[in-house]
Amino acid sequence: MRELDTAKISEAVASLCIEANHRLEESTKECISRRACQEDWAPAKAVLDIIEENIAIAEEGEFPLCQDTGMACVFIDLGQEVHLTGGLLEDAVNEGVRRGYTEGYLRKSIVADPLRRTNTGDNTPADLVVRMVAGDRVKITVAPKGFGSENMSQIRMLPPSAGQKGVEDFVVSVCEKAGANPCPPIVVGVGIGGNFNKSALLAKRALLTPLDQANPDSYYADMEERLLERINGLGIGPQGFGGRTTALKVSILCAPTHIAGLPVAVNINCHVSRHAEAVL
Amino acid sequence: MEYILKEPFSKEALREFRAGDQVRITGTIYTARDAAHKRITEMIAKGEEPPFEIEGSIIYYVGPTPAKPGNPIGSAGPTTSYRMDAYAPKLLDLGQLMMIGKGQRSPEVAEAALRNGAVYAAAIGGAAAVMARCVKSAEVIAFPDLGAEAVRRIYVEDLPVTIVLDTHGGNLYEEGRAAYLAQVKEEAK
């Protein structure tokens, strides 16, 4: 059994919070650059150029990519052969978020109660999802999630008879209704199957997929392509000013479901599609 | 078209702008988002003085990140505007000149802007570092307990915005998309 002090997890989470808020993953940057080159509608091109300028400024480390530095969504793949010492995992993750958001001058956007709305002051608690996996490593992914796009997300419990077309129509309708609100160009995470909660989690996890990576199942890879084409055919464009580039990517994850159900969740992310990972 | 808007701000200057025009703003504006709008409109309803003169004001919907030492402000991009829709018509009727945010507005806000000769402009969501560099000074003038949501008086230079709702009834979110789709249709012929 490998021992790992949870203080190491706090340290890693703190630095990942800061990194994710200043630097986009390579595949995301490449995708935005490529779309900027392909965009021939002038207002759309102008927006994408400013987005690229913003990415370059944020990488200098002085200003985060977006003022909404998000709710800290933390995904941990915990190897079964790791024995954590030094305190609770959840406490360690929250300590990391507290330190990252304070020392990194990131915005504290979490309120302690959804209706009474007092800010917790340190961006905790994190949204922590732990998955037990084989091995003796701990993989930590921090994905700060802004709420301009989160608020445009939807879930629908479709009847199985809705089938593939019903799923695709729903995904496109969510993106059309979102319009300019979620800061397009967007990244679309789709969770199909499972149950009510599982589909939502799949949709969120789908947003971690690198933008140059298709679903390994060609049936779903084709669906991702088809959906991207339909969404970009809406003409909403960057920031909703019109244009070809409404979405950068559609990523689908699915899971077994019940004979009576076809849950579909659509989690929208903005072009500042942030995630950073470390393996301990 | 591209325009420059400088202090003193007036409704006359706004009449030139059409939906889709790019405007660079230089001067003193105010920040306020959800919680600040709620408090300001409550103060007005109770007959109290709001933290700044609403008449003639430009309000930027933003909750910036904390300023690092040596900077007036942190990252400062727009937040989604529809959450201010419940409060905006009241402020427009009191003479607010411009709202800066991003995303669609309600018909009530569009009507209130039109009848008052005010405009709604979009800053680029997620280009917060670019926008931060346009802010030359910032001072919290009300509700410091709200943290990022406190009301700030900020001085901006060349803050880039795009006119969405103009004083002539134009709406960029409708017209921009329609114009692009018309061009796509034309090319397909």
Side-chain angles (χ1 to χ4, degrees):
Chain A
M1 206 69 170
R2 176 179 171 235
E3 291 209 338
L4 181 70
D5 192 329
T6 53
K8 297 265 188 233
I9 291 178
S10 300
E11 260 172 55
V13 168
S15 71
L16 289 171
C17 289
I18 295 170
E19 184 190 331
N21 272 299
H22 288 85
R23 184 177 289 276
L24 293 181
E25 197 187 60
E26 285 306 315
S27 69
T28 311
K29 286 196 282 181
E30 280 165 19
C31 184
I32 292 169
S33 292
R34 198 174 61 248
R35 297 282 174 180
C37 293
Q38 291 167 348
E39 186 61 77
D40 43 21
W41 188 245
K45 172 89 172 94
V47 170
L48 293 175
D49 287 346
I50 293 178
I51 287 173
E52 290 207 85
E53 184 190 346
N54 191 67
I55 291 169
I57 296 173
E59 278 188 358
E60 292 168 14
E62 193 71 6
F63 296 104
L65 285 151
C66 181
Q67 81 290 338
D68 185 353
T69 50
M71 176 181 273
C73 300
V74 180
F75 294 83
I76 292 187
D77 284 351
L78 181 59
Q80 285 203 140
E81 287 157 52
V82 179
H83 175 220
L84 296 176
T85 62
L88 290 176
L89 175 63
E90 190 172 349
D91 292 345
V93 167
N94 283 328
E95 177 57 24
V97 168
R98 185 174 295 122
R99 255 194 260 157
Y101 276 73
T102 308
E103 291 165 14
Y105 291 85
L106 304 176
R107 198 179 79 185
K108 287 72 177 177
S109 309
I110 304 301
V111 291
D113 179 283
L115 291 174
R116 288 169 291 188
R117 306 195 77 81
T118 304
N119 199 299
T120 62
D122 57 12
N123 219 53
T124 66
D127 170 31
L128 173 62
V129 179
V130 182
R131 190 163 64 173
M132 299 299 293
V133 298
D136 66 353
R137 300 288 156 198
V138 179
K139 183 170 136 187
I140 306 168
T141 306
V142 174
K145 184 67 171 72
F147 258 56
S149 56
E150 192 76 356
N151 281 335
M152 294 296 112
S153 304
Q154 289 191 45
I155 190 163
R156 173 92 34 107
M157 303 304 282
L158 290 172
S161 62
Q164 180 188 311
K165 182 171 186 304
V167 170
E168 292 184 14
D169 287 349
F170 174 60
V171 174
V172 174
S173 75
V174 171
C175 297
E176 182 164 26
K177 188 157 183 290
N181 290 342
C183 292
I186 55 176
V187 177
V188 186
V190 181
I192 309 173
N195 53 12
F196 186 75
N197 47 296
K198 177 120 192 176
S199 62
L201 182 55
L202 287 170
K204 175 132 285 142
R205 201 184 277 282
L207 293 175
L208 304 179
T209 312
L211 298 198
D212 56 2
Q213 196 176 302
N215 191 295
D217 179 339
S218 65
Y219 174 81
Y220 286 106
D222 289 348
M223 193 186 287
E224 289 175 344
E225 277 304 310
R226 233 175 8 252
L227 282 168
L228 183 62
E229 199 162 312
R230 276 184 69 184
I231 294 163
N232 283 334
L234 294 171
I236 294 165
Q239 299 295 308
F241 299 164
R244 188 199 303 269
T245 317
T246 302
L248 298 171
K249 171 88 166 93
V250 178
S251 289
I252 300 174
L253 289 178
C254 39
T257 188
H258 188 278
I259 49 172
L262 178 51
V264 187
V266 182
N267 197 195
I268 296 185
N269 209 349
C270 57
H271 58 87
V272 187
S273 185
R274 294 160 287 194
H275 41 95
E277 63 176 56
V279 178
L280 300 179
Chain B
M1 293 283 286
E2 288 182 22
Y3 292 94
I4 287 171
L5 181 66
K6 287 189 173 165
E7 281 181 304
F9 304 126
S10 71
K11 285 193 175 170
E12 287 68 55
L14 304 184
R15 281 202 283 271
E16 288 204 41
F17 306 152
R18 299 280 173 166
D21 286 345
Q22 290 177 34
V23 178
R24 287 189 173 264
I25 301 169
T26 296
T28 299
I29 67 175
Y30 298 89
T31 75
R33 44 170 291 160
D34 309 54
H37 270 78
K38 184 168 190 285
R39 289 195 191 176
I40 289 170
T41 48
E42 281 168 1
M43 289 169 89
I44 292 166
K46 281 192 277 187
E48 296 169 12
E49 279 292 306
F52 58 92
E53 180 82 46
I54 303 297
E55 188 176 358
S57 67
I58 294 178
I59 301 180
Y60 184 17
Y61 303 153
V62 56
T65 59
K68 283 189 177 172
N71 292 332
I73 206 162
S75 282
T79 195
T80 322
S81 304
Y82 71 85
R83 297 192 315 272
M84 270 50 78
D85 283 358
Y87 313 110
K90 179 76 205 166
L91 301 181
L92 292 166
D93 286 339
L94 289 172
Q96 180 188 345
L97 288 187
M98 187 188 289
M99 307 166 278
I100 304 172
K102 52 123 175 156
Q104 286 99 322
R105 308 307 301 265
S106 67
E108 291 75 19
V109 173
E111 280 163 29
L114 194 57
R115 75 170 168 262
N116 287 295
V119 301
Y120 168 51
I124 294 182
V130 170
M131 246 81 75
R133 287 190 165 179
C134 301
V135 179
K136 301 303 170 187
S137 68
E139 177 195 359
V140 172
I141 58 164
F143 320 140
D145 59 301
L146 294 178
E149 292 202 70
V151 172
R152 289 167 173 79
R153 181 192 292 123
I154 63 175
Y155 186 83
V156 296
E157 270 178 24
D158 293 328
L159 185 79
V161 301
T162 303
I163 303 298
V164 174
L165 299 175
D166 63 27
T167 58
H168 312 278
N171 180 338
L172 174 62
Y173 292 138
E174 289 166 9
E175 292 162 20
R177 186 180 172 193
Y180 168 74
L181 290 175
Q183 185 204 256
V184 170
K185 210 172 163 187
E186 190 62 33
E187 282 172 359
K189 273 183 190 167

